[in-house]
Amino acid sequence: MTLLSLFKRRASAPVARERLQLLLAYERNNRNKPDLVAILREEIMAVIGRHIQIDQDQVQITMDRGKTTSTLEIDIQIPNDDKRLAVAC
Amino acid sequence: MGKVIVVTSGKGGVGKTTSTAALGAALAQTGKRVALVDFDVGLRNLDLVMGAERRVVFDLVNVIQGHAKLSQALIRDKRIDTLFLLAASQTRDKDALTEEGVADVIARLNQVFDYVLCDSPAGIERGAQLAMRFADEAVIITNPEVSSVRDSDRIIGLLDSKTMKAERGEELKKHVLVTRYDAERAARGEMLAIDDVLEILSVPLLGIIPESQGVLRASNVGAPVTLNEPTNPAAKAYMDAARRLEGENLPVVLPFDKRGLFDRLFRRKAA
């Protein structure tokens, strides 16, 4: 810490500008696109539904956005009494 | 045919109503015929800012529903006789405005007035979309602050997709009016710079309204600041913005910190 920095607060406006530029670039890009998570959910459900009977309410799909990578988490609860599942095992 | 201009922002409390009153009065002061239309159904305030709250008998919803004639609902300003106000109703019914009704009222106003200024409600819902729907131009009110700029960006997206002009493939002319600009804080790097706001929104600048106590004084007494204190820096900035709306090529001067060294040292507030 220099002596000068004791007297001078760091300007916050450049931080505001940078945060806005990042955020708006992302928001504009997604503005007219349909919800990606909703599409993924529908298609994944269709694929799994062809093989296993699943309850719509037993499916959790979440998307976590990280700085460099994002994670898509799919959590499907399958009842143990499913016949096909029993055969496969 | 006049020009229909929507005054909008997305975010609330940034100065839409104050700016509608001030710009409208400034245009009317030069002899133009101006109608101010309050679209904030349920939370009308333009009548109060204009000092006409006790003269509202019929409103926009009455006209649209056929309970009053447009000429009965238009309130003539007591100070400038080319300035008129069409108040919003206080009804809680959100669907009181219909698109056909609004289209009809705007079209009729547009035939007799040089400018029809539509004061949009905050938000991006139906009311805000109806206010911008038939606009030829838009004035986007923005404070140099992150949430206001973000909301302005949303509104610009709507202006470019949900207006009649946009749907016809025409370009809707947009202007940014920066309000509550504090030169002292900007100089200290505590406030987004005008260039940053313009670069982020990429919309041309209509004017910079400096933060001024005169704006509150004007709304206290129910007069547009351009009428109440014509020499106030904010009033002058509104008058310049009005001239630019009229197409005049008037350069925008950045407001500067007018206080001297003595005032700065003793932290006295500028007028």
Side-chain angles (χ1 to χ4, degrees):
Chain A
M1 195 193 276
T2 64
L3 193 64
L4 191 70
S5 67
L6 284 174
F7 297 99
K8 202 177 170 190
R9 239 180 307 170
R10 246 194 94 209
S12 55
V15 182
R17 182 189 60 208
E18 224 164 278
R19 289 178 59 219
L20 266 174
Q21 278 171 335
L22 271 174
L23 174 73
L24 293 184
Y26 176 80
E27 286 188 344
R28 282 174 196 154
N29 209 17
N30 287 283
R31 196 168 284 160
N32 295 316
K33 287 183 192 161
D35 186 4
L36 178 65
V37 177
I39 297 172
L40 284 174
R41 181 193 164 92
E42 212 167 282
E43 292 188 4
I44 289 167
M45 292 282 288
V47 170
I48 296 174
R50 281 209 294 270
H51 305 283
I52 308 166
Q53 263 205 341
I54 40 172
D55 187 353
Q56 292 270 347
D57 300 333
Q58 301 296 311
V59 182
Q60 298 270 335
I61 298 186
T62 51
M63 185 116 145
D64 256 328
R65 214 168 287 116
K67 265 204 173 140
T68 51
T69 51
S70 301
T71 51
L72 178 68
E73 217 177 272
I74 308 168
D75 183 348
I76 306 174
Q77 295 193 19
I78 305 165
N80 281 335
D81 57 347
D82 191 291
K83 279 173 200 155
R84 284 181 195 218
L85 201 66
V87 170
C89 291
Chain B
M1 280 291 269
K3 231 188 238 178
V4 181
I5 302 175
V6 60
V7 180
T8 186
S9 71
K11 189 171 167 12
V14 294
K16 282 181 296 298
T17 301
T18 306
S19 299
T20 305
L23 284 175
L27 287 167
Q29 277 167 290
T30 66
K32 290 286 183 300
R33 290 178 59 81
V34 181
L36 310 178
V37 186
D38 191 350
F39 273 83
D40 205 345
V41 171
L43 287 171
R44 75 168 176 226
N45 272 321
L46 187 55
D47 55 335
L48 195 55
V49 169
M50 290 296 292
E53 70 277 11
R54 296 200 301 179
R55 298 170 61 210
V56 179
V57 181
F58 298 114
D59 55 51
L60 178 60
V61 171
N62 295 143
V63 176
I64 284 177
Q65 294 180 342
H67 300 311
K69 284 191 212 156
L70 184 54
S71 56
Q72 289 176 306
L74 278 171
I75 303 164
R76 186 194 287 263
D77 189 87
K78 290 219 160 143
R79 299 148 296 211
I80 315 170
D81 59 7
T82 55
L83 182 60
F84 289 79
L85 166 72
L86 182 53
S89 101
Q90 286 289 54
T91 174
R92 290 167 68 187
D93 177 14
K94 276 195 294 178
D95 300 321
L97 294 183
T98 60
E99 180 166 338
E100 302 72 48
V102 171
D104 177 58
V105 169
I106 297 282
R108 277 153 65 199
L109 289 173
N110 204 9
Q111 288 186 343
V112 257
F113 288 96
D114 298 312
Y115 289 95
V116 180
L117 263 57
C118 305
D119 183 18
S120 172
I124 53 171
E125 301 302 316
R126 193 179 139 81
Q129 293 195 17
L130 274 175
M132 67 169 66
R133 184 80 183 138
F134 305 99
D136 299 310
E137 294 186 20
V139 174
I140 301 143
I141 311 293
T142 307
N143 290 168
E145 178 269 324
V146 285
S147 59
S148 174
V149 175
R150 181 199 208 175
D151 292 357
S152 292
D153 193 71
R154 276 306 287 283
I155 278 291
I156 290 167
L158 288 183
L159 287 166
D160 287 338
S161 61
K162 303 276 185 187
T163 53
M164 287 293 271
K165 273 216 148 181
E167 284 179 9
R168 285 198 301 256
E170 295 168 31
E171 206 203 338
L172 181 132
K173 202 169 171 188
K174 300 182 289 281
H175 318 262
V176 165
L177 184 64
V178 176
T179 54
R180 311 203 69 162
Y181 181 80
D182 187 330
E184 191 203 339
R185 304 196 72 181
R188 284 206 305 263
E190 289 180 9
M191 186 176 256
L192 275 170
I194 298 291
D195 285 344
D196 293 342
V197 175
L198 297 182
E199 191 196 318
I200 289 167
L201 297 178
S202 46
V203 169
L205 182 66
L206 182 68
I208 306 166
I209 312 300
E211 173 83 70
S212 163
Q213 298 176 11
V215 173
L216 181 61
R217 281 194 295 268
S219 78
N220 282 345
V221 298
V225 68
T226 51
L227 276 177
N228 200 48
E229 297 180 29
T231 56
N232 180 285
K236 284 184 170 168
Y238 274 121
M239 288 187 220
D240 286 350
R243 285 167 66 185
R244 288 184 202 105
L245 263 187
E246 292 227 63
E248 202 173 314
N249 188 10
L250 194 66
V252 182
V253 187
L254 206 65
F256 58 93
D257 191 6
K258 284 210 181 94
R259 307 177 316 161
L261 182 63
F262 180 84
D263 288 328
R264 274 171 207 252
L265 286 175
F266 293 93
R267 305 206 58 76
R268 268 208 244 146
K269 274 299 235 187

